[in-house]
Amino acid sequence: MCPCGSGLAYDACCGALHRGERQAETPEQLMRARYAAFAKRDAFYLARTWHPRTRPDDVGVDGTRWTGLTVHGSAERGDEGTVDFTATYEGGSLSEHSRFAKRAGRWVYVDGDVA
Ligand SMILES: [Zn+2]
């Protein structure tokens, strides 16, 4: 099963995005794929989908055991988008209002406000 909680097999879901076979078509799809990349510790995908202006040198893949994702809402207007979500991990949770932008036809993560 895909870590993003879609109920689909990983290969048919975020796995196809991680392998570069498909591109995220919406900010929410990218957010789900990035959550799955954190769960799979795919630093390459995280770096590739991070806006170069805000991308840290260390994308933050660590030993955290991510246990679930809930998307509360998302919006998209032109080349900008937002997603509100809560991600849970062993021992806690993280809620964030994330901002995304479209660059050269591809959605990338810009930054977010932790709730
Ligand atoms: Zn998925």
Side-chain angles (χ1 to χ4, degrees), residues 1-10 12-15 18 29 32-33 36:
M1 294 289 248
C2 190
C4 83
S6 63
L8 301 171
Y10 169 71
C13 188
C14 298
H18 294 170
Q29 210 173 77
R32 288 181 169 279

Side-chain angles (χ1 to χ4, degrees), residues 28-100:
E28 180 175 338
Q29 210 173 77
L30 180 61
M31 192 273 133
R32 288 181 169 279
R34 285 176 50 85
Y35 169 82
F38 273 109
K40 293 276 186 185
R41 299 177 193 174
D42 185 340
F44 180 73
Y45 185 78
L46 291 166
R48 191 151 53 88
T49 55
W50 213 308
H51 196 295
R53 181 167 56 79
T54 55
R55 181 173 55 216
D57 291 336
D58 179 349
V59 297
V61 173
D62 54 24
T64 303
R65 288 174 58 89
W66 296 96
T67 54
L69 172 69
T70 304
V71 174
H72 304 298
S74 60
E76 184 183 335
R77 194 171 57 189
D79 288 348
E80 294 179 4
T82 58
V83 181
D84 290 278
F85 68 91
T86 299
T88 57
Y89 53 90
E90 263 185 20
S93 69
L94 166 78
S95 294
E96 188 178 296
H97 175 79
S98 296
R99 282 177 287 274
F100 296 84

